[in-house]
Amino acid sequence: MKALILPEHYYKNDVLEKEYELLFQQTWCFIGFKSFLKEENDFITQDIGGIPVVVQNCKGTIRAFKNICSHRHSIIQVEKSGNRPLMCPYHGWAYNDKGIPTGIPKKPLFKFTKDELECLKLKDYKVDFCGELVFVNLSNDPSELKDFMGDLFDEVEKMSSNFGELVDVNEMNIHANWKILVENTLESYHVNLIHEETFKKLGAGGMEFTFIKEHSVWDATLLAGENEGKNAKIHSPYQNREYKISGYKHLIVFPNILISSTYGISFNLSYITPIDSNSSRFVSYVFLTKKDGEKANPTLENIYKQSLVGFNRKVFDEDKAICEKVQIGVKKSPFIGELSDEEARVCEFQKNYKKYID
């Protein structure tokens, strides 16, 4: 079947501007984990569709605001995450849990009325949760997150609620359009060549794809069972875990959140955001499942963690290299692109993308 996204959609600036307005600003976007927002004044920042957003624990309530001071336009929270009051670093304007400026140095000099202060309230956005994941929606009339995710909601809730120890965070800038990176994760057709010494050795196979609204799932078999051979000793401390699958599961929460698990013992969550039309920010988290019962041998567990980190980083480095080659080629390609049955998830991603962009 023919690809549905034309080559120029992977590098033109005007296309990215449409994506910002019609896709990212209209749908639910992952911004972080509940565990990053446990304490009062914990915050996470991110650009969503070109708009700077801060999500902050305000007196125990998680709130989302446009991260721009209403006094003289400075960014308010300048770090990716941290713990500090919602206070502008430029002139010290501080905002309450409703986004209204209530702490203004030399306030009498401004002669604000109460109504004027209300008008200087930060733009706020809807926040919702799926298990341990925090999502924000910038649209004026957002759907419910559960409606947006459909039947995938319960699966993601179950998976993320079983994220245990965080063993790695991998962040990198990649010189490729964000859609090239997403589409790469949605097909295994490239595995034999690109991941010959890594992912291929897991033997993930089959085309058991499930399509749920804009999202999709791949349930794959693996060469070895959870407790076969060397897996038996490594996986023995995790036998009483709550979340179990027999092989490998990979899913996308449209448009740019990828979650995978092997046996329900290790998890990876990655999200991909555009830097510009030709480059992207890739962030990946690796978790172990929550343990309940037998304690692991510390030496063996450390070896297992190191192997997970090394494996994931190697796979993503391999993907980075080939996706950057695709970005070079797509600017000069005379072809539309072809998709096989094994690339059905790419086709569905493109169909759903066009629903928003067209």
Side-chain angles (χ1 to χ4, degrees):
M1 64 192 94
K2 295 289 183 184
L4 302 174
I5 298 178
L6 298 176
E8 55 262 34
H9 287 186
Y10 294 97
Y11 63 86
K12 286 194 170 181
N13 292 333
D14 60 335
V15 173
L16 180 61
E17 290 302 318
K18 285 182 69 176
E19 291 170 352
Y20 280 164
E21 181 183 353
L22 301 177
L23 177 58
F24 290 106
Q25 293 177 23
Q26 301 301 322
T27 192
W28 286 96
C29 295
F30 170 77
I31 200 163
F33 303 95
K34 280 184 181 179
S35 59
F36 293 179
L37 298 165
K38 283 183 177 179
E39 305 298 327
E40 184 174 347
N41 289 328
D42 281 351
F43 69 87
I44 305 167
T45 64
Q46 192 179 131
D47 272 19
I48 298 177
I51 295 175
V53 175
V54 58
V55 176
Q56 180 136 350
N57 183 326
C58 300
K59 299 180 180 179
T61 301
I62 308 302
R63 301 294 303 274
F65 300 104
K66 183 177 281 190
N67 192 23
I68 298 175
C69 182
S70 52
H71 171 223
R72 295 264 300 282
H73 325 301
S74 172
I75 297 297
I76 299 171
Q77 299 291 26
V78 298
E79 302 295 333
K80 290 180 182 177
S81 63
N83 181 285
R84 68 184 290 274
L86 194 60
M87 183 181 76
C88 179
Y90 191 10
H91 297 97
W93 277 38
Y95 297 83
N96 67 13
D97 58 339
K98 294 180 176 58
I100 298 170
T102 52
I104 300 176
K106 302 180 180 179
K107 186 176 178 180
L109 298 178
F110 288 93
K111 302 178 176 63
F112 287 132
T113 66
K114 184 179 178 181
D115 287 345
E116 286 172 333
L117 284 175
E118 290 277 351
C119 290
L120 293 172
K121 176 182 179 295
L122 300 177
K123 171 71 175 173
D124 61 334
Y125 303 114
K126 191 167 182 179
V127 182
D128 209 343
F129 310 94
C130 179
E132 290 301 304
L133 310 186
V134 183
F135 290 81
V136 173
N137 193 309
L138 305 192
S139 67
N140 292 324
D141 188 21
S143 63
E144 295 298 322
L145 177 61
K146 200 162 188 176
D147 292 337
F148 171 70
M149 293 179 67
D151 291 342
L152 194 64
F153 184 93
D154 290 344
E155 183 71 17
V156 173
E157 183 177 48
K158 194 183 302 180
M159 291 176 81
S160 65
S161 296
N162 283 277
F163 289 176
E165 181 183 355
L166 175 62
V167 297
D168 191 40
V169 180
N170 182 17
E171 301 184 34
M172 55 184 166
N173 293 344
I174 301 177
H175 297 297
N177 183 273
W178 71 274
K179 298 185 294 299
I180 288 174
L181 302 181
V182 170
E183 290 174 1
N184 175 74
T185 71
L186 296 179
E187 49 93 352
S188 59
Y189 188 38
H190 71 282
V191 168
N192 283 350
L193 284 177
I194 304 303
H195 304 305
E196 186 175 5
E197 297 300 319
T198 51
F199 195 83
K200 180 182 176 181
K201 292 188 173 181
L202 291 179
M207 294 191 293
E208 189 177 333
F209 306 139
T210 306
F211 300 101
I212 303 167
K213 304 191 83 168
E214 290 101 333
H215 326 289
S216 69
V217 183
W218 178 36
D219 288 293
T221 58
L222 295 175
L223 281 178
E226 174 191 333
N227 295 311
E228 291 180 7
K230 64 181 181 180
N231 284 348
K233 186 176 288 188
I234 293 171
H235 295 159
S236 63
Y238 309 101
Q239 296 306 298
N240 293 326
R241 66 189 185 278
E242 180 183 312
Y243 182 79
K244 295 184 179 184
I245 55 176
S246 59
Y248 175 77
K249 183 184 292 287
H250 181 279
L251 58 88
I252 177 173
V253 180
F254 185 84
N256 63 336
I257 306 132
L258 299 312
I259 307 172
S260 63
S261 180
T262 305
Y263 307 118
I265 294 175
S266 63
F267 299 91
N268 178 274
L269 184 146
S270 304
Y271 67 98
I272 298 159
T273 52
I275 295 173
D276 55 41
S277 56
N278 289 274
S279 61
S280 307
R281 185 69 175 159
F282 172 89
V283 185
S284 169
Y285 300 89
V286 177
F287 297 89
L288 285 176
T289 187
K290 292 178 179 176
K291 288 201 296 285
D292 181 16
E294 184 180 344
K295 290 185 178 180
N297 176 296
T299 302
L300 193 61
E301 187 172 47
N302 282 334
I303 292 172
Y304 180 43
K305 290 176 188 176
Q306 289 169 14
S307 71
L308 284 176
V309 173
F311 178 86
N312 277 276
R313 287 190 170 236
K314 178 64 174 171
V315 167
F316 292 134
D317 283 345
E318 292 164 348
D319 284 331
K320 175 181 185 289
I322 194 60
C323 287
E324 290 183 338
K325 299 300 183 187
V326 175
Q327 187 66 29
I328 293 170
V330 79
K331 294 180 180 179
K332 303 296 181 182
S333 178
F335 305 106
I336 295 174
E338 305 290 336
L339 297 172
S340 68
D341 289 346
E342 196 171 3
E343 297 159 292
R345 295 177 73 205
V346 176
C347 184
E348 285 298 312
F349 169 80
Q350 294 189 354
K351 284 180 184 176
N352 289 310
Y353 168 86
K354 284 178 68 64
K355 287 178 187 176
Y356 282 86
I357 300 305
D358 292 344

